[in-house]
Amino acid sequence: QQVAALQAAALQQQMGELQQQTEVLLARQQNNERQAHNARQQAAGQGLLALYKTVSGHPQQQAPQAASLQALVQPVPLGELPPVGLNFLPAAGFTVEDIMGLTVVNLNDLQWFYNQLFEGNNVIARRNSFLRFLVGNLALGDV
């Protein structure tokens, strides 16, 4: 009976891991579609879509500043979009101009949410790093 219970627990753990892997793959597929959309939108000067979270966890020694991020269940589950109440990302889609207006604090909050570095030697380079993240390998260059 103990063996059966251990086998059931191991199977349940494997099923949970498989479900998480499936969610990540689905989010990545959706992000690929969104990145292609964003590349077309960027070329047309139209609004871009946020991407789904695909990297688990959050950077150590970093806490979000935006209240809407602080209110999220932590760690944020994979497959989530940034909250609608994130005041520096318009819900209707954000433009390159919106991205070029992001502050260091905004970029740090986005890094925290996505657990993805938006690197650069200055805020302009970091904004361009975030823009490249949104359009994937389809980026048309820095702004």
Side-chain angles (χ1 to χ4, degrees):
Q1 211 173 27
Q2 281 184 329
V3 171
L6 290 173
Q7 288 175 334
L11 182 60
Q12 186 174 11
Q13 180 180 355
Q14 288 175 339
M15 292 295 290
E17 290 170 4
L18 183 60
Q19 181 179 352
Q20 184 177 21
Q21 290 172 357
T22 301
E23 290 170 1
V24 169
L25 289 174
L26 178 60
R28 286 183 180 159
Q29 173 61 34
Q30 291 172 322
N31 280 352
N32 288 340
E33 293 168 7
R34 283 175 171 249
Q35 287 172 326
H37 169 86
N38 285 344
R40 290 188 302 273
Q41 293 293 92
Q42 179 190 9
Q46 302 295 317
L48 309 179
L49 300 173
L51 300 183
Y52 293 94
K53 180 176 175 64
T54 60
V55 179
S56 62
H58 302 284
Q60 293 184 358
Q61 309 301 322
Q62 184 177 343
Q65 299 298 307
S68 59
L69 291 177
Q70 292 172 0
L72 294 175
V73 172
Q74 294 181 26
V76 174
L78 297 173
E80 294 290 317
L81 289 170
V84 174
L86 203 56
N87 61 350
F88 54 85
L89 291 181
F94 39 97
T95 64
V96 171
E97 290 76 22
D98 293 326
I99 293 170
M100 291 302 118
L102 293 175
T103 67
V104 170
V105 171
N106 299 153
L107 291 162
N108 289 345
D109 278 355
L110 290 165
Q111 277 188 172
W112 177 87
F113 178 82
Y114 286 112
N115 198 13
Q116 171 86 29
L117 289 177
F118 302 119
E119 296 181 295
N121 294 329
N122 56 49
V123 70
I124 294 169
R126 291 187 66 205
R127 290 171 182 156
N128 278 301
S129 178
F130 179 62
L131 178 60
R132 283 190 301 277
F133 170 74
L134 293 175
V135 298
N137 293 331
L138 307 169
L140 300 176
D142 290 351
V143 177

